[in-house]
């Protein structure tokens, strides 16, 4: 069986950064990149299933992005993934999570996994949308924010424990194939050994174009996206204000602040 693990190369801001003149993105020279933390837990869960299996299990890591994304795929190979795929085409620039999910669904259709494990969200944009949109595109059952998983390779069903509000947990049984978005803390991601890193550097990374997936340029990029970034701004720094006086005076002052804010 196959387990597909979509992963993302995420950006983190340096202390000093610049936004492009058009206001739509940050200068990449001001960014540091790494494997998305949530995806590390999803990958580890896939590898744990493989290691516990009595049958053959193949873990396939996939990302959507240009050549620099090979770095995170090699990290996945070093941590136990068996294969790595990267999908890219210049027409994918500006793709939102829905368009990315459309691409990943095409990859899943090509790879025919029994299970898709992806991070619950990304640490840069935090949309928490791609995994759920992927399940919709595939018309597969899904469970989001999975904090526990009972599943043995080859089983037709899995039981996922998902996080709810106020610290509540819920067990959900679902039929496979399915998509699960993995929460932090479900396991303890391993560190890659120096030997595994060297071996991963020599492994091939399969690169796919839109044409390989049977997709048109019109379904990705801004043209195929349901949303787009209009502008980015750096929030103005404000200061907290302590409201003094009696309870009635505090309530009156708070009401005045709200009226002033609504009028602004």
């Amino acid at each position: 069986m196959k387990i597909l693990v979509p992963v993302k190369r995420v950006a983190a801001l340096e202390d000093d950064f610049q936004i492009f003149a058009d206001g739509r993105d940050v200068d990449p020279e001001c960014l540091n990149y790494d494997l998305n933390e949530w995806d590390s837990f999803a990958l580890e869960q896939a590898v744990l299933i493989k290691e516990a299996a009595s049958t053959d299990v193949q873990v396939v890591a996939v990302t959507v992005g240009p050549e620099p994304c090979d770095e995170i795929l090699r990290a996945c190979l070093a941590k136990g993934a068996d294969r790595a795929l990267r999908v890219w085409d210049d027409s994918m620039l500006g793709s939102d999570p829905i368009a990315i999910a459309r691409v990943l669904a095409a990859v899943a259709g090509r790879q025919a996994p029994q299970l898709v494990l992806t991070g619950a969200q990304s640490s840069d944009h935090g949309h928490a949308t791609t995994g759920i949109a992927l399940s919709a595109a595939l018309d597969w059952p899904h469970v989001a924010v999975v904090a526990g998983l009972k599943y043995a390779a080859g089983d037709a069903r899995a039981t996922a424990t998902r996080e709810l509000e106020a610290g509540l947990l819920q067990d959900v049984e679902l039929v496979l194939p399915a998509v699960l978005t993995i929460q932090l803390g479900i396991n303890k991601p391993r560190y890659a050994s120096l030997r595994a890193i060297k071996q991963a550097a020599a492994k091939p990374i399969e690169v796919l174009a839109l044409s390989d997936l049977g997709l048109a340029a019109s379904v990705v990029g801004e043209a195929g996206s349901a949303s787009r970034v209009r502008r980015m701004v750096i929030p103005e720094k404000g200061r907290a204000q302590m409201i003094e006086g009696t309870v009635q005076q505090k309530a009156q002052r708070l009401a005045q602040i709200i009226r002033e804010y609504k009028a602004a």
Side-chain angles (χ1 to χ4, degrees):
M1 65 163 286
K2 288 182 183 177
I3 302 176
L4 189 67
V5 184
V7 297
K8 183 182 180 183
R9 180 177 181 253
V10 295
L13 290 174
E14 293 182 349
D15 291 337
D16 296 320
F17 63 92
Q18 297 291 329
I19 296 178
F20 284 141
D22 63 5
R24 297 187 59 189
D25 209 345
V26 176
D27 186 342
E29 295 296 324
C30 306
L31 299 173
N32 297 312
Y33 295 92
D34 201 355
L35 173 64
N36 179 42
E37 184 179 9
W38 278 262
D39 297 343
S40 294
F41 286 85
L43 175 67
E44 178 66 20
Q45 196 64 35
V47 175
L48 289 173
I49 293 171
K50 180 181 74 169
E51 292 176 341
S54 57
T55 58
D56 182 48
V57 176
Q58 187 179 74
V59 177
V60 182
V62 57
T63 193
V64 177
E67 188 174 352
C69 294
D70 285 355
E71 176 186 355
I72 64 163
L73 289 176
R74 296 206 181 279
C76 292
L77 290 169
K79 293 182 179 183
D82 300 293
R83 292 173 50 217
L85 306 175
R86 179 169 61 83
V87 185
W88 187 244
D89 188 292
D90 288 343
S91 61
M92 294 183 187
L93 284 170
S95 295
D96 72 351
I98 306 300
I100 296 296
R102 195 174 290 125
V103 173
L104 292 173
V107 173
R110 181 185 173 107
Q111 296 296 317
Q114 189 174 9
L115 192 60
V116 176
L117 302 179
T118 189
Q121 66 181 64
S122 63
S123 59
D124 51 3
H125 293 145
H127 289 129
T129 301
T130 307
I132 306 306
L134 172 58
S135 69
L138 292 170
D139 196 22
W140 287 4
H142 76 272
V143 180
V145 198
V146 174
L149 179 62
K150 295 179 181 178
Y151 173 73
D155 289 353
R157 294 175 178 270
T159 300
T161 301
R162 66 174 183 146
E163 286 188 1
L164 301 176
E165 294 78 6
L168 295 176
L169 299 175
Q170 179 186 39
D171 287 340
V172 180
E173 186 179 82
L174 65 164
V175 178
L176 273 57
V179 178
L180 306 180
T181 70
I182 304 299
Q183 173 65 305
L184 303 179
I186 190 175
N187 53 48
K188 185 177 180 179
R190 68 195 68 192
Y191 290 99
S193 67
L194 181 59
R195 179 184 179 187
I197 292 172
K198 289 182 177 179
Q199 290 174 337
K203 290 183 179 180
I205 292 176
E206 184 179 352
V207 180
L208 302 174
L210 282 178
S211 57
D212 297 318
L213 300 174
L215 295 175
S218 59
V219 302
V220 296
E222 291 191 1
S225 296
S227 63
R228 66 185 180 92
V229 177
R230 296 186 62 183
R231 67 187 181 99
M232 294 183 175
V233 296
I234 301 174
E236 295 182 5
K237 293 183 179 180
R239 296 184 62 183
Q241 177 185 353
M242 296 299 296
I243 302 176
E244 305 293 344
T246 65
V247 173
Q248 183 178 2
Q249 289 171 334
K250 290 179 180 179
Q252 290 174 342
R253 176 57 183 147
L254 181 58
Q256 181 184 358
I257 291 173
I258 293 173
R259 286 194 295 270
E260 290 173 354
Y261 178 78
K262 292 177 68 175

